[in-house]
Amino acid sequence: MANKLRSQEWFEEPGYYGFSRRAWLRSEGFGADIFEGKPVIGICNSFSELNNCNAHLRQVAEAVKRGVWTAGGLPLEFPTISLGEMFMRPTTMLFRNLMAMDVEESIRANPIDGVVLLCGCDKTTPAQLMGAASADVPAIVVTGGPMLAGQWRTRRLGAGTDGRKLFDLFRAGKLSEEELDEIEGGIARSTGHCTVMGTASTMACLAEALGMTLPGCAAIPAPDARRLALAEMTGRRIVEMVREDLRPSRILTPAAFDNAVAVDMAIGGSTNAVIHLIAIAGRLGLELPLDAFDGISRRTPWIVNLKPSGEFLMEDFFAAGGVPVVMREILGLLDGGCLTVTGRSVRENVESAVCHDRTVIRTADQPLTAEGGTVILCGNLAPNGAVLKQTAASPHLLRHRGRAYVFENVREMRAQIDREDLPVDKDTVLVMKSCGPKGAPGFPEWGHIPMPKVLLKQGVEDMVRVSDARMSGTSFGTVVLHVAPESAIGGPLAAVRTGDEVLLDVEKRRLELCLPEEEIARRLAEFTPPPPHYDRGYGKLFLDHVTQAHLGCDFDFLRS
Ligand code: FES
């Protein structure tokens, strides 16, 4: 061991406190030899039975421990808060920064020389990367992997995406209660995160693209024995990383973020990746402007044919070769020299990757589309930008001008959306306000406004929807999100009224409210912000310090 270990500051301190720290750790049943130069490896575990996606992570942690012991380290597992997408109110996004603070301070406050981050559900991966980037001790990620493909009778189902489609059929009276109950029992067949290219799958792929996991980690199904084998290898590798002093700040460089954005575009990743990547970069003092996403999107082909944009599921992606094949396909668009947790470069990691199924991962020469999945829009309705997943949108709506039907908030939308007399048609633009970081609060995934029942019955499956909300990565449709500044702080979205015309032009990257600027300014001058949702506690901290969508929604005081 070349350098003194960080943990030795705790355990080799002369005097009473060094003695008592050793004694208290030995109370867990360890012998005195654990203090003989073994790196202490924290296993930062977001296991929780309140988070089905991460409910298997204790088993993953045991595999990591085997690897750490084998390589001569001392594994010590510790919990973090866990953010289960399905259960937390009002939204897990309210708590991403809290989890990131938990991770950062747990690492910093404890005798940890290196850390293995166990995550899976949507916010848990970015939160751990944000915290570990700020703490900057050697760190490596093991994501929990996607759940098994859902099943209903002879049909394969993608959790999230197909659930929404089938539930719309139920709303339209085309599925019975008995059939819906069968679907409920089979759509999520194991622990692990959602099995389409939603936010969790996207962030797992991007953790790998950033160089923060062993190659191939992202796509291995959660119950697959090969995930435990990879976890064991990760445990061995983190001990070596401590010896090499291989910290996140050496891996998470500007070029690594550009690589991750390119992979995001190639996989047709979730719109939420934009916010999370900006926030992780901010922890290293790096700017990642929305323009960078759009520039990279324009030159990066979409090549991964997964739902919700495409046809297949994460199990198919794994069988086809996963992220290493994607990165090899677009290597010419990446910085292949970026350092990764393997101690080798991106190029060395992926250049021998072999694709086993070209229906799932296309070549860069024969992509699904020439451009990437996510586009950045701008205009008088979104001066600080908005996002749209063009690969999950309807081509005929990518240039559209229609009259707005406005919901002032989500409660209004829910109360009205199933009204048989809702005055909307296929050309209407649904607009929803008060769903941003401060307005909702917490920036929930309400942006996929359900199709109005009256239109579903007419067979209309998509329409333009605009809001300052986020959207689940498993969702689909012509849905404009993250409009910034948000309406609750007086962004132009606050000025839209039912009957106004809204223009969406994806090719020109425009989102416009078709009114004279003076009229928009006049309406905004009359705008009164709603009262804050919290006057104490974490909620108040969030409202006082959260940044807008285009800045990643981290707290202003947590950026580097
Ligand atoms: Fe956890 Fe979908 S609910 S990833």
Side-chain angles (χ1 to χ4, degrees):
M1 190 75 54
N3 299 315
K4 185 174 173 179
L5 291 168
R6 186 171 177 267
S7 59
Q8 288 172 332
E9 294 171 23
W10 276 257
F11 297 121
E12 292 192 0
E13 185 187 305
Y16 173 74
Y17 284 108
F19 151 78
S20 59
R21 287 174 191 136
R22 292 192 299 275
W24 262 248
L25 187 55
R26 287 176 69 178
S27 77
E28 294 183 28
F30 296 117
D33 62 335
I34 59 165
F35 302 112
E36 293 168 1
K38 286 190 194 307
V40 176
I41 304 300
I43 300 175
C44 181
N45 197 345
S46 57
F47 155 84
S48 169
E49 288 181 339
L50 285 169
N51 182 356
N52 55 293
C53 304
N54 294 17
H56 59 304
L57 290 183
R58 287 203 288 208
Q59 196 186 7
V60 177
E62 290 307 314
V64 172
K65 287 179 192 175
R66 286 201 303 269
V68 173
W69 283 119
T70 307
L74 166 61
L76 294 176
E77 184 182 348
F78 63 95
T80 70
I81 57 168
S82 193
L83 311 178
E85 206 60 34
M86 282 297 164
F87 303 144
M88 289 190 88
R89 287 183 175 173
T91 166
T92 50
M93 188 62 188
L94 184 68
F95 305 107
R96 183 201 64 180
N97 298 346
L98 181 66
M99 181 172 172
M101 291 166 78
D102 179 358
V103 171
E104 175 183 349
E105 302 306 339
S106 293
I107 295 170
R108 184 176 290 125
N110 281 296
I112 288 172
D113 299 304
V115 64
V116 180
L117 308 162
L118 303 188
C119 46
C121 197
D122 292 16
K123 309 302 178 297
T124 58
T125 304
Q128 288 194 328
L129 283 167
M130 290 161 70
S134 292
D136 203 29
V137 304
I140 188 168
V141 174
V142 182
T143 50
M147 61 175 67
L148 295 174
Q151 199 171 26
W152 177 44
R153 298 177 184 171
T154 58
R155 190 170 158 182
R156 288 177 99 214
L157 301 177
T161 305
D162 288 315
R164 284 186 174 81
K165 289 182 178 167
L166 292 166
F167 198 82
D168 274 350
L169 289 180
F170 173 71
R171 286 173 65 222
K174 294 175 184 167
L175 277 179
S176 69
E177 293 215 10
E178 291 71 29
E179 288 170 318
L180 191 70
D181 184 60
E182 283 178 31
I183 293 163
E184 185 179 300
I187 195 163
R189 291 167 54 222
S190 73
T191 55
H193 58 72
C194 292
T195 183
V196 298
M197 191 54 81
T199 305
S201 299
T202 300
M203 291 313 300
C205 291
L206 300 191
E208 187 171 334
L210 283 165
M212 290 296 292
T213 74
L214 292 183
C217 174
I220 307 170
D224 194 304
R226 286 165 284 189
R227 178 156 295 283
L228 298 180
L230 182 133
E232 186 177 316
M233 279 193 290
T234 302
R236 287 203 292 269
R237 178 61 197 147
I238 186 65
V239 176
E240 295 168 355
M241 286 174 66
V242 171
R243 293 179 174 133
E244 296 161 13
D245 198 27
L246 185 46
R247 296 165 184 265
S249 55
R250 292 176 59 197
I251 295 169
L252 299 174
T253 60
F257 282 98
D258 285 352
N259 284 352
V261 174
V263 169
D264 182 33
M265 299 305 160
I267 62 178
S270 162
T271 46
N272 290 315
V274 176
I275 295 162
H276 298 319
L277 283 175
I278 292 171
I280 299 164
R283 294 306 187 95
L284 295 131
L286 304 174
E287 298 294 334
L288 193 53
L290 288 181
D291 287 352
F293 286 86
D294 204 60
I296 293 171
S297 174
R298 285 180 190 272
R299 65 173 183 261
T300 308
W302 169 39
I303 60 172
V304 175
N305 190 9
L306 255 60
K307 291 181 179 186
S309 299
E311 299 172 61
F312 297 99
L313 299 173
M314 285 296 281
E315 276 180 65
D316 309 307
F317 185 49
F318 173 56
V323 174
V325 170
V326 176
M327 294 187 82
R328 198 211 59 196
E329 276 306 323
I330 61 167
L331 201 49
L333 300 169
L334 304 178
D335 184 335
C338 285
L339 180 64
T340 73
V341 289
T342 62
R344 298 189 301 270
S345 68
V346 165
R347 182 183 306 282
E348 290 169 309
N349 285 347
V350 307
E351 63 192 349
S352 61
V354 176
C355 182
H356 303 294
D357 190 343
R358 283 294 176 202
T359 61
V360 178
I361 308 176
R362 300 275 190 95
T363 63
D365 294 339
Q366 292 185 305
L368 291 142
T369 60
E371 283 192 359
T374 303
V375 299
I376 306 298
L377 305 166
C378 210
N380 68 0
L381 194 46
N384 290 334
V387 306
L388 176 136
K389 190 168 183 178
Q390 62 176 343
T391 49
S394 300
H396 72 281
L397 292 172
L398 293 180
R399 190 175 192 292
H400 180 81
R401 184 171 176 141
R403 296 215 174 268
Y405 187 85
V406 176
F407 303 109
E408 290 298 325
N409 53 51
V410 74
R411 291 177 300 286
E412 233 182 74
M413 183 276 287
R414 286 177 181 153
Q416 294 187 34
I417 201 73
D418 282 349
R419 262 175 50 192
E420 300 284 355
D421 61 345
L422 194 71
V424 295
D425 60 32
K426 65 180 179 31
D427 295 323
T428 302
V429 175
L430 295 182
V431 172
M432 185 165 64
K433 305 178 187 176
S434 279
C435 299
K438 294 183 191 239
F443 209 9
E445 293 185 334
W446 295 338
H448 185 253
I449 304 169
M451 288 296 294
K453 199 175 194 174
V454 63
L455 295 184
L456 282 177
K457 286 186 171 172
Q458 294 168 23
V460 180
E461 293 183 348
D462 194 13
M463 65 195 302
V464 176
R465 289 157 268 184
V466 179
S467 76
D468 46 10
R470 295 180 305 112
M471 172 174 92
S472 165
T474 64
S475 295
F476 47 86
T478 312
V479 184
V480 179
L481 304 153
H482 310 185
V483 169
E486 64 177 300
S487 59
I489 63 168
L493 190 68
V496 187
R497 294 177 185 170
T498 294
D500 293 341
E501 279 197 315
V502 172
L503 172 71
L504 169 67
D505 188 336
V506 173
E507 194 184 335
K508 294 195 172 125
R509 305 296 199 252
R510 303 304 293 169
L511 181 67
E512 305 282 354
L513 177 57
C514 305
L515 286 176
E517 292 304 315
E518 309 78 58
E519 173 61 12
I520 296 173
R522 191 189 64 73
R523 292 185 189 179
L524 290 179
E526 292 172 0
F527 171 77
T528 313
H533 289 271
Y534 302 105
D535 60 8
R536 64 168 295 281
Y538 175 75
K540 178 162 169 45
L541 179 82
F542 184 94
L543 291 181
D544 288 348
H545 293 285
V546 71
T547 56
Q548 290 286 288
H550 64 293
L551 300 174
C553 298
D554 201 359
F555 293 154
D556 48 14
F557 61 85
L558 290 175
R559 286 174 59 87
S560 174

